[in-house]
Amino acid sequence: MANWKMNGDRSFWYNLAEQTALQAKEFKDCKFVMFPPFVALADVENALFEAEKNVELGAQDVSNYEHGAFTSQVSAEMLTGLGCSYVLVGHSECREYLGQPDELLAEKIEVAQAKGLKTVLCIGETLEEYEAGQSVQIVVEQLEKCLANCENSDLLAVAYEPVWAIGTGKVATIDDIKPIFAEIKQSLLDKFGSKGDNVALLYGGSVKADNANEIFSVDEINGVLVGGASLDATSFVDIARNA
Ligand code: PGA
């Protein structure tokens, strides 16, 4: 999954989408999802017109309201209307810079899923929490609170992204990651029963082609959420190539 964040401009987005979709053709067994900025969605949808079915479109956020007087917000229905099938919810940059708490994220998931959007819930601990040995506790707490109203595990994926590993070049070690994914899996099984096993789990935080192989060696990990390396089609698709 490619999180373009607030990068690029109109011609950059179009080219990146086209190039990524072209290179993704080689990997029909992988699913690729692009998350451009809101204002790029219509252009990217056009660029993906002839893309294979393994390439899909998503948005970086969604309103917790259905419609109405909510200046600046973008609704789930607007996103599906622009061809989105996915949405990110709770990215650490939205939690930090937009002040989005778990309770709000739970509402966003509910509203997005009601319109059929697959929601990728992002969770992860900060550096202080990591150093205090609280990673598992924080992640499980975020998961429980954000999924408080969620009953549809078919429209859910979970991305674990340690905040201290995002955009820093620091990748969590396999020893850091393994027990956390085991806990996430267990929490999903507790909540959704055996269906919890079908929720895709992703890792995010400075993922690149040269560390992807090791990350994918963790049994529970089904995919990766990529920021920096997704801004170049080759470096993004190389992750699939190496994995
Ligand atoms: P990064 O970003 O790959 O640049 O660390 C990942 C993310 O924020 O989703």
Side-chain angles (χ1 to χ4, degrees), residues 147-241:
L147 296 182
N149 316 329
C150 176
E151 278 158 21
N152 194 343
S153 60
D154 295 339
L155 290 179
L156 181 69
V158 174
Y160 166 60
E161 301 197 295
V163 178
W164 49 271
I166 296 177
T168 57
K170 288 184 194 152
V171 187
T173 65
I174 295 301
D175 290 342
D176 285 328
I177 295 176
K178 263 192 165 180
I180 294 184
F181 275 96
E183 286 290 338
I184 294 172
K185 177 69 89 182
Q186 191 54 52
S187 298
L188 292 169
L189 289 170
D190 291 346
K191 178 161 175 77
F192 297 114
S194 59
K195 281 190 133 196
D197 207 26
N198 301 333
V199 176
L201 302 185
L202 296 94
Y203 174 78
S206 300
V207 177
K208 307 206 165 28
D210 59 10
N211 57 28
N213 215 353
E214 200 185 359
I215 291 165
F216 276 110
S217 73
V218 177
D219 276 351
E220 287 86 1
I221 296 182
N222 309 109
V224 286
L225 179 55
V226 185
S230 74
L231 296 174
D232 176 84
T234 303
S235 70
F236 178 57
V237 178
D238 268 353
I239 292 171
R241 193 168 280 120

Side-chain angles (χ1 to χ4, degrees), residues 72-110:
S72 89
Q73 299 204 35
V74 177
S75 74
E77 204 165 337
M78 293 172 187
L79 297 179
T80 55
L82 282 165
C84 290
S85 45
Y86 280 83
V87 67
L88 296 179
V89 169
H91 190 280
S92 66
E93 286 148 18
C94 296
R95 291 175 186 263
E96 185 180 354
Y97 305 128
L98 301 176
Q100 298 182 352
D102 291 325
E103 294 70 20
L104 174 75
L105 303 175
E107 290 177 18
K108 286 176 187 267
I109 292 174
E110 200 179 0

